[in-house]
Every structure is written in C-alpha cells, then in structure tokens.
C-alpha cells in the first residue's frame, strides 16, 4: 500500500511547473494584450455577451468544464486498471495536453469575436468544414447530456441529502442573480451572505433528504419518499438503474432544458459563481485533508491505497488499457467539451485578455486536481469492480467523507457534502451543455428559412432535440459502454479543437510553431479513433448483435440504443478524419506550398 499523499504531491509538483512555466510561455505565444477590447465589451447585450469579474467567470468556467467527468473517469479507470496508469495520465497529460487545449481554444475565440471553434475552422477550410465540426460538436453534446443526467440521478439515489441541497442552492442562485443584476446591490456582502446560505443548504439536505421512490440502501432512514407507496418498476430504465434513479433522469433533463433557455445572469453566472465556493472547498479541502490526515494521523482510517497500482493490460474487466484508459478518463486530462465552453460562453464573458491564462490553463489544472481527489477516494475505498457505476459513483462521497475526517468533520456530514460537490459540477455542466448545443445549431442553420430550421434553433425546440436522444442513449443500461463512447467522442472533439487552433496559428503567422498544438492533436486522433472502433465493433456488434442470447433477451429500447451507439461512433470517426484531412491540406498550402495562402472553399 502507498500513502495517498504521494499521489497528491506528484500532481501538485507537475501542475505547478506547468502553470508557472509552460502557461507563461503560451500567454506570450498567443500575444495576450489587455489594450484590446474583448468580445464581452464589444458586443455587450445583457443576454450572452456580459463582462464578468475574474472570480465570477473563473467560477462559471471551472464549474462548467469540470462536470462529473473528472470524478467518474478516474474512479472507473482506477477500479479497472489500478491507480498508477490513471495517475500518470492525469499528472503528465493535463499540463501538456488538456490545459494547452483549453487555453488556446479560449484565445482563438477571443481573436474571432467570441465565436465557436466551428466558426473558426470555417474561416480557413470553408463552410463544409465548419458545419462538419459543428455537427460533430452537437452530437458530442447529446452524449454529454446523457452521461451527466444519468450520473446526477445515480448520486441523488445514493445520497438523497444532495437532492435537497441542490434544490436549495439552485433557488439561492436565482435570488443572487436578482440581487446582483436587478437590484444592483453590493457584490462582496452578497457573496458572503449567499455563500453562507448555500453551506446552510448542505445542513438542510442532511436534515431533510428527499427521494422520489425508495432510494439506495445507504440513504438515511429519515428520507422523505414522495411516492413511497408505489414501486416505480414501470418506469423506463428502472430495471437497469432502479426506480428512484429512473425517476430523477427525466427531471434532470427537463431542468437542463429550462435552465439553458434562461439569460445567463438569471441562473448560469450566479449559480456557477456560488457553486465555485462549494467546489473550491471540496477540492482544496480534500487535498489539504490528505496532507493533514497523513502527517497528523487524524483521519478515521489510514489514508493509503487499497487498490493495486496496476491490474494488468486487460484490467479486471477484460478491457484493454490502450486505447480505453485514455478515453475512460475523459476530462481529468483533456476534454473537447471544454473547447465548447471556452469558445461558447467563457469567451463572451471575458473582461480582459490576460484573464485567459488563469481561467483557461489554470481552470483545467483545477480540474486535474479534482480528478486527483477522485482517484484518491477510490484508492482508499477500493469498491468491488462488479458493483458497476451504482457503486463506483458514491465512492467519491464515501472516500471524500473519510478524507475530511482529518479535520474532525464527521463522515455523516462529509459524505453528503462531497456528494453535493459532485452534483454541483454535474448540474452546471448539464445545462451549459444544452445551451452550447443551441449555439452549435444556430451556427449550422444560420437564418432559419423553414419550420424545421426554426424548431432546431428555437431554445425550447433545440433543447428537446438534445434531451430526447440523450434519454434513448441512457436506456441502453450499459454504463461502461456509454461512458467510453462519451469519452471517445469528447476527446476526439478535443483533437478537432486542437486542429482548429493549429490551422489558426498556421494562417496567423508563418513564424508560429505548431508543435504545442499539433502533437497533442495527432496523439488524440489516433487514440480516440481506435477507442471508438473498439466500442462500435467489439462492445456492440460482437458482444451484442452477434450473441444470440443477447438478441433474444434485449428489448426494443436496448437494441435501438445499441444501434445508435454504433452509428454514432462511425459518424464521429468519419467527420473527424474528414476534418483532419481538410485541416492538414490547409496547413500544407499555407506553410509549405509556393502558391500562397489558400482561399476557403465550400467543397
């Protein structure tokens, strides 16, 4: 067994070197300049373009990019392959790949009036390339919404305390938005008061936990079950995830749809800012508690790894480490979803260009710290790999509660608090994802000319277009396949974002080096393409459709979900490789041909 503190020390050392060394170089490389007006000031409209104070925007950005993925990915990977491969991928890959990806995505959007990566690639390879990237991003968003809605529901089932606390903090966020933007009351006193009220909401959740149907076995006996007289077995996916989880899923999807349609000042900005204090406390507190608990021996149990460092190439589930480890940890190291946030909402709220370094590069390092905390919790608890996601996810709350006992905090409070930390990340990412999906579709359609186009760009119609397919994907009941499909699509999107900024750099200045973005891009294209092929051919076609027993037992919804997964995987691979070819041809024409700068084409 290894003391968990050494995992934390290794990550902190590499992340510190990355921020004070590499990020400083990158800021100079993209020529950040505070004398230039950011898109938030140029196009301020009170709806989407709203200049935000640095801590407010950092809170929004960090909450939106982190989601539950840097928690779920390391937990899943640690249980399957051991803690060492997961730690290496997070500690080395984050400062060299993920943080670079987030920072340059934000910087490129600043240089293009706050437009998305789809718009940027279209500037250099034409309308067809733009639409292909936007469609890729839109399909990935559907996977994001599906995975996050499922994870929130699973945590609400295991920790009904988090359900109550989440309702409280969403209500507080709406009130805080009115306090700031409608009543124009002082910022600092409001922050103090509402943050205190939010932490009081955690206590309220512990005292008054709420469930829709009978919750998980660990739920407090005092849990108020809204439909306690009913079994809920008739609910879709109840057979796979249980009635309580199945009931929460559509509610969370509906919440994401409604929240995404509101102006950013109503819920998104104030909620993400308030939740950032919860998240900083959870992540920073857990890291500090590991150090304190190890040095003083004050935790309720020794903070050592109870997982093996390495379970072999095929892991404990017969799943190959390469390439699937690298897409299982979908956000702790690198995530394409971040490019959508950076170029979708963050670039429209950036107050000055120099803020991009802390928010872009530093925000991703913060996500890596969250992934490290998640890995520490699963290493301490060491859940049974056969327990599936229903057991693995509550591990974060259970392990986090153990870690927080280093400060004398009872596990009965620390566990629900860490569950709320997880849910806070997920809820912010879910409705941000739906909002970003609308942005993608608006750029694809342009000016609506038909009723179908008007529906696709309407904030309510677009939300339905995203949440309904997401629900079908959830209905597969296969957590690991859905998660790895999401991870593959997400990181392939990261490769395309890196391709976009590489094309931008090549067209911007012939003297700009392309290695910092080009090398990570090539690596991620290779890894994710192989991973998606494995998921489509092995996990679905071979394991499911070529197995007579599965074909006999599977219902129509499960079959439809498997078909969607196969089609989605092949469509994503085709779009990605086509875009990579178009981007390479543009760079080749700009840098190495004698014919001069190419003209964007729609071919």
């Amino acid at each position: 067994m290894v003391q968990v503190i050494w995992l934390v020390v290794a990550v902190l050392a590499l992340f510190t070197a990355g921020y004070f060394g590499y990020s400083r170089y990158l800021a100079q490389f993209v020529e950040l300049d505070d004398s230039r007006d950011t898109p938030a000031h140029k196009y301020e409209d009170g709806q989407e373009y709203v200049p935000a104070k640095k801590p407010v925007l950092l809170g929004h950005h960090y909450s939106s990019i982190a989601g539950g993925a840097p928690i779920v990915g390391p937990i899943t990977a640690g249980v399957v392959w051991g803690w060492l491969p997961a730690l290496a991928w997070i500690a080395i890959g984050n400062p060299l790949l993920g943080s670079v990806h987030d920072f340059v995505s934000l910087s490129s959007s600043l240089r293009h009036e706050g437009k998305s990566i789809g718009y940027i690639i279209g500037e250099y390879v034409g309308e067809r390339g733009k639409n292909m990237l936007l469609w890729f991003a839109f399909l990935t968003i559907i996977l994001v919404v599906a995975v996050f809605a499922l994870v929130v529901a699973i945590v609400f089932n295991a920790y009904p305390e988090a359900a109550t606390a989440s309702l409280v903090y969403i209500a507080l966020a709406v009130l805080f938005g009115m306090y700031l933007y409608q009543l124009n009351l002082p910022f600092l006193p409001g922050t103090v008061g509402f943050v205190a009220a939010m932490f009081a909401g955690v206590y309220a959740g512990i005292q008054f936990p709420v469930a829709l149907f009978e919750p998980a076995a660990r739920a407090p006996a005092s849990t108020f079950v809204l439909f306690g007289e009913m079994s809920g077995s008739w609910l879709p996916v109840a057979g796979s995830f249980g009635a309580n989880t199945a009931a929460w899923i559509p509610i969370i999807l509906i919440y994401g749809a409604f929240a995404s349609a509101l102006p950013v000042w109503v819920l998104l900005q104030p909620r993400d800012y308030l939740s950032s204090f919860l998240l900083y406390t959870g992540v920073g507190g857990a890291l500090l508690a590991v150090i304190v608990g190890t040095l003083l021996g004050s935790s309720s149990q020794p903070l050592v790894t109870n997982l093996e460092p390495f379970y072999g190439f095929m892991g404990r589930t017969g799943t190959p480490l390469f390439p699937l480890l690298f897409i299982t940890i979908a956000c702790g190291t690198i995530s394409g979803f971040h490019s959508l946030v950076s170029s979708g909402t963050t670039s429209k709220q950036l107050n000055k260009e120099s803020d991009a370094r802390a928010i872009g590069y530093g925000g991703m390092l913060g996500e890596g710290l969250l992934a490290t905390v998640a890995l520490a919790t699963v290493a301490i608890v060491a859940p049974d790999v056969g327990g599936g996601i229903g057991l693995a996810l509550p591990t974060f709350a259970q392990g986090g509660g153990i870690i927080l006992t280093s400060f004398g905090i009872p596990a009965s409070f620390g566990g629900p608090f860490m569950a709320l930390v997880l849910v806070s990340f997920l809820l912010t990412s879910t409705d941000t994802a739906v909002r970003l999906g609308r942005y993608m579709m608006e750029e694809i359609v342009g000016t609506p000319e038909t009723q179908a186009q008007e529906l696709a760009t309407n904030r309510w119609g677009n939300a339905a277009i995203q949440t309904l397919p997401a629900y079908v994907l959830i209905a597969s009941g296969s957590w690991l396949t859905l998660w790895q499909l999401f991870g593959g699509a997400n990181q392939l999107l990261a490769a395309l974002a890196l391709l976009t900024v590489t094309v931008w750099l090549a067209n911007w200045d012939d003297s700009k080096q392309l290695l910092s973005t080009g090398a990570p891009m090539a690596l991620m294209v290779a890894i994710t393409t192989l991973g998606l092929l494995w998921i489509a051919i092995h996990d679905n076609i071979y394991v499911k459709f070529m197995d007579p027993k599965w074909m006999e037992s599977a219902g129509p919804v499960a079959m439809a979900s498997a078909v969607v997964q196969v089609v989605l995987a092949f469509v994503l691979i085709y779009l990605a490789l086509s875009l990579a070819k178009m981007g390479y041809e543009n760079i080749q024409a700009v840098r190495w041909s004698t014919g001069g700068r190419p003209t964007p084409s729609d071919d």
Side-chain angles (χ1 to χ4, degrees):
M1 292 185 290
V2 176
Q3 289 183 317
V4 170
I5 191 173
W6 295 115
L7 281 65
V8 172
V9 169
V11 170
L12 288 175
L14 291 173
F15 282 15
T16 300
Y19 186 76
F20 289 104
Y22 200 25
S23 76
R24 189 183 301 275
Y25 161 75
L26 291 173
Q28 297 171 346
F29 177 65
V30 299
E31 301 176 18
L32 295 181
D33 184 357
D34 285 345
S35 67
R36 278 191 286 253
D37 280 342
T38 62
H41 288 285
K42 285 183 182 179
Y43 307 108
E44 185 172 0
D45 60 6
Q47 177 78 18
E48 310 292 352
Y49 290 86
V50 180
K53 293 179 173 65
K54 186 176 178 178
V56 174
L57 185 55
L58 179 59
H60 155 70
H61 183 80
Y62 185 49
S63 301
S64 297
I65 65 169
I71 296 172
V72 179
I75 286 176
T76 305
V79 170
V80 174
W81 293 289
W83 60 263
L84 185 58
L87 177 69
W89 181 229
I90 294 166
I92 299 171
N94 185 301
L96 294 179
L97 280 74
S99 295
V100 173
H101 164 275
D102 288 22
F103 174 75
V104 294
S105 295
L106 177 56
S107 301
S108 63
S109 183
L110 285 176
R111 295 287 185 272
H112 293 83
E113 312 301 333
K115 296 297 179 61
S116 72
I117 56 168
Y119 174 89
I120 297 168
I121 195 71
E123 285 285 288
Y124 304 106
V125 304
E127 190 72 13
R128 179 168 173 261
K130 166 192 164 185
N131 287 337
M132 289 176 72
L133 187 101
L134 289 172
W135 272 114
F136 187 104
F138 186 77
L139 293 173
T140 303
I141 286 289
I142 293 173
L143 281 166
V144 171
V145 173
V147 167
F148 287 0
L150 173 58
V151 175
V152 172
I154 289 171
V155 176
F156 278 179
N157 178 56
Y159 282 86
E161 305 99 315
T164 303
S166 296
L167 295 173
V168 171
Y169 109 89
I170 289 170
L172 287 172
V174 173
L175 293 174
F176 189 47
M178 296 174 63
Y179 174 94
L180 285 180
Y181 295 102
Q182 295 297 296
L183 302 177
N184 295 315
L185 294 172
F187 177 74
L188 188 57
T191 295
V192 173
F194 278 93
V195 168
M198 183 181 63
F199 280 97
V202 179
Y203 178 77
I206 293 172
Q207 296 300 312
F208 307 102
V210 172
L212 300 177
F213 292 90
E214 193 63 32
R218 73 137 306 275
S222 60
T223 300
F224 175 72
V225 183
L226 190 60
F227 303 106
E229 302 300 320
M230 303 170 63
S231 68
S233 58
W234 50 271
L235 288 165
V237 308
S240 300
F241 302 111
N244 194 42
T245 301
W248 277 116
I249 291 169
I251 292 174
I252 294 156
L253 290 172
I254 292 169
Y255 160 78
F258 272 88
S260 71
L262 297 172
V264 294
W265 67 265
V266 174
L267 180 60
L268 185 143
Q269 272 192 4
R271 181 207 53 206
D272 291 359
Y273 175 63
L274 290 177
S275 67
S276 68
F277 288 90
L278 185 70
L279 307 178
Y280 299 150
T281 302
V283 176
L287 291 172
L288 184 59
V290 167
I291 298 171
V292 171
T294 303
L295 296 179
L296 302 182
S298 55
S299 61
S300 62
Q301 69 180 62
L303 300 181
V304 297
T305 59
N306 292 303
L307 285 176
E308 293 294 326
F310 185 48
Y311 287 109
F313 183 81
M314 296 302 291
R316 300 164 73 187
T317 59
T319 307
L321 181 142
F322 181 87
L324 294 186
L325 166 73
F326 305 95
I327 63 177
T328 300
I329 301 180
C331 288
T333 297
I334 182 170
S335 167
F337 177 67
H338 298 187
S339 68
L340 304 184
V341 176
S342 296
S343 66
T345 56
T346 303
S347 63
K348 295 177 176 64
Q349 300 175 67
L350 201 72
N351 188 42
K352 56 183 181 179
E353 288 196 356
S354 61
D355 291 349
R357 181 180 168 219
I359 292 171
Y361 195 98
M364 181 55 188
L365 291 179
E367 178 171 291
L369 293 177
L370 174 62
T372 305
V373 170
L375 186 59
T377 63
V378 74
I380 291 169
V381 176
D384 179 10
V385 70
I389 192 62
L391 177 62
L393 273 178
T395 293
F396 178 75
Q398 182 185 353
I402 292 170
I403 290 173
L404 291 179
T405 61
S406 300
F407 293 138
I409 299 172
S412 60
F413 183 91
F417 171 75
M418 294 302 285
L420 181 59
V421 169
L422 170 54
V423 168
S424 298
F425 277 119
L426 289 160
L427 288 174
T428 56
S429 294
T430 300
D431 65 79
T432 297
V434 180
R435 183 184 295 269
L436 293 171
R438 187 176 82 246
Y439 294 166
M440 301 293 109
M441 189 56 67
E442 286 173 351
E443 289 195 41
I444 292 171
V445 171
T447 302
E449 297 178 354
T450 66
Q451 286 188 339
Q453 289 178 336
E454 288 180 358
L455 175 66
T457 56
N458 177 275
R459 62 186 59 199
W460 302 111
N462 181 269
I465 291 170
Q466 295 180 68
T467 53
L468 291 176
Y471 191 72
V472 172
L473 285 168
I474 293 171
S476 71
S478 175
W479 161 256
L480 191 57
T481 300
L482 179 59
W483 178 258
Q484 290 173 340
L485 178 61
F486 154 72
N490 187 34
Q491 291 184 308
L492 195 49
L493 177 60
L496 296 181
L498 288 166
L499 170 69
T500 299
V501 297
T502 303
V503 170
W504 163 56
L505 292 170
N507 283 265
W508 176 16
D509 187 338
D510 290 346
S511 66
K512 293 289 184 187
Q513 58 90 2
L514 305 181
L515 188 62
S516 293
T517 56
M521 179 266 295
L523 176 65
M524 296 314 300
V525 167
I527 287 173
T528 50
T529 299
L530 291 172
L532 287 172
L533 286 172
W534 176 274
I535 292 166
I537 297 171
H538 178 270
D539 291 349
N540 282 286
I541 295 176
Y542 177 72
V543 172
K544 294 179 180 177
F545 292 117
M546 295 184 68
D547 181 359
K549 292 182 179 179
W550 187 87
M551 292 294 291
E552 289 176 7
S553 61
V557 175
M559 285 190 179
S561 183
V563 169
V564 169
Q565 291 182 43
V566 171
V567 171
L568 194 55
F570 281 115
V571 168
L572 292 173
I573 291 171
Y574 167 75
L575 290 173
L577 294 182
S578 299
L579 277 163
K581 178 176 179 292
M582 296 167 69
Y584 175 76
E585 289 173 349
N586 175 273
I587 294 171
Q588 188 179 44
V590 171
R591 285 292 177 94
W592 297 296
S593 76
T594 58
R597 190 178 302 276
T599 301
S601 169
D602 291 339
D603 297 336

